């Protein structure tokens, strides 16, 4: 009876996980379609509805919302595009795997660092638009802000590299330990493989690979 209850519990957990994954997949598909329609609208020279714009402005960080509104009258199409990109970071986060092929200690850490980079790139784009529209007397101040943001972006990229190095060093250390143990138990491992090839029973836990 106890084993049966455990089985029921495991099946329940499994079904919940499958349902959650299905929901996530459906949400991502819906957001992909919404993104496609949004950018197609902008490419046609049209604008999203006021309610959609307000939704995005409300759901992104307040500092970025303020910065974006400052460029609305300068370059409206870029404003709407950057608004959606900013919202996507927290609500429809995707990135090209070939642009970020490295591995870190956790996928969450990797995602957080990439999100930081995305946000910083948006801040830089905003400042670039402001710089182009600024009077000569104002350009120096904007340039200083731009340099600050680029320094921050440089640090984020440096953190990515450091985390990648830490991950690789940790993996290499484990591989060295595993290799040392493997060499130490060479005779036993080879004997185990002999039994495996000859289909002989073997209770040994040593692994060929």
């Amino acid at each position: 009876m106890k084993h049966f209850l455990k089985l029921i519990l495991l099946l329940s957990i499994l079904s919940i996980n499958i349902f959650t994954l299905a929901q996530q997949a459906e949400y991502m598909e819906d957001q992909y379609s919404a993104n496609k329609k949004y950018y197609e609208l902008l490419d046609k020279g049209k604008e999203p509805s006021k309610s959609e714009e307000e939704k995005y402005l409300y759901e992104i960080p307040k500092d970025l919302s303020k910065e974006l509104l400052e460029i609305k009258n300068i370059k409206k199409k870029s404003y709407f595009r950057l608004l959606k990109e900013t919202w996507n970071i927290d609500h429809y986060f995707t990135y090209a795997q070939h642009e970020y092929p490295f591995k870190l200690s956790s996928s969450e850490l990797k995602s957080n660092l990439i999100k930081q980079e995305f946000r910083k790139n948006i801040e830089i784009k905003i400042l670039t638009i402001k710089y182009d529209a600024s009077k000569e007397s104002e350009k120096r101040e904007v340039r200083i802000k731009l340099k600050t943001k680029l320094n921050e972006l440089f640090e984020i990229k440096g953190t990515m590299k450091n985390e990648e190095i830490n991950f690789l060093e940790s993996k290499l250390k484990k591989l060295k330990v595993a290799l040392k143990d493997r060499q130490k138990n060479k005779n036993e491992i080879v004997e185990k493989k002999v039994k495996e090839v000859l289909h002989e029973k073997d209770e040994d836990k040593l692994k060929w690979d």
Side-chain angles (χ1 to χ4, degrees), residues 63-190:
D63 56 335
L64 269 173
S65 177
K66 182 182 176 183
E67 291 290 322
L68 282 164
L69 284 170
E70 289 177 3
I71 66 164
K72 184 176 181 180
N73 293 327
I74 300 173
K75 210 169 183 180
K76 191 170 281 190
K77 187 175 179 179
S78 294
Y79 158 75
F80 282 116
R81 189 170 291 276
L82 291 173
L83 175 61
K84 190 71 167 85
E85 288 178 13
T86 305
W87 185 87
N88 281 346
I89 291 173
D90 289 317
H91 300 86
Y92 179 63
F93 177 61
T94 59
Y95 62 88
Q97 188 64 42
H98 68 275
E99 292 181 9
Y100 301 91
F102 58 86
K103 289 184 178 180
L104 300 186
S105 57
S106 74
S107 57
E108 184 180 2
L109 174 62
K110 181 175 179 178
S111 293
N112 285 337
L113 286 170
I114 295 173
K115 284 180 180 181
Q116 288 179 41
E117 181 181 350
F118 280 13
R119 286 196 186 93
K120 204 57 60 180
N121 277 323
I122 287 171
E123 291 172 7
I124 289 166
K125 288 176 183 177
I126 291 170
L127 283 170
T128 302
I129 291 169
K130 285 183 178 180
Y131 182 85
D132 291 338
S134 295
K135 298 175 182 176
E136 286 301 320
S137 57
E138 299 170 338
K139 285 186 183 294
R140 185 175 180 276
E141 184 182 348
V142 180
R143 193 178 190 281
I144 291 171
K145 290 180 180 178
L146 180 60
K147 187 175 181 180
T148 299
K149 294 297 179 185
L150 286 168
N151 272 313
E152 291 170 358
L153 179 59
F154 183 88
E155 291 300 322
I156 292 169
K157 287 182 174 291
T159 301
M160 284 183 180
K161 292 295 182 186
N162 282 329
E163 290 295 337
E164 183 181 10
I165 289 168
N166 291 339
F167 172 76
L168 292 173
E169 285 179 340
S170 174
K171 190 174 181 181
L172 181 61
K173 185 177 179 181
K174 289 176 182 176
L175 285 171
K176 283 181 176 179
V177 171
L179 179 61
K180 189 176 180 180
D181 288 342
R182 179 179 168 80
Q183 290 300 120
K184 182 180 177 182
N185 298 294
K186 177 184 175 182
N187 292 334
E188 291 89 343
I189 292 172
V190 172

Side-chain angles (χ1 to χ4, degrees), residues 19-76:
F19 179 70
T20 303
L21 287 171
Q23 280 186 316
Q24 289 175 346
E26 186 179 353
Y27 174 80
M28 293 299 279
E29 189 175 341
D30 288 345
Q31 289 305 318
Y32 173 81
S33 298
N35 263 9
K36 188 178 178 183
K37 288 178 182 177
Y38 184 94
Y39 292 123
E40 284 176 351
L41 193 73
L42 294 184
D43 290 338
K44 291 176 182 176
K46 298 179 181 179
E47 298 175 5
S49 65
K50 189 68 178 174
S51 60
E52 188 175 10
E53 178 189 358
E54 289 175 349
K55 166 187 164 64
Y56 296 148
L57 285 169
Y58 179 76
E59 293 180 355
I60 64 175
K62 297 302 176 187
D63 56 335
L64 269 173
S65 177
K66 182 182 176 183
E67 291 290 322
L68 282 164
L69 284 170
E70 289 177 3
I71 66 164
K72 184 176 181 180
N73 293 327
I74 300 173
K75 210 169 183 180
K76 191 170 281 190

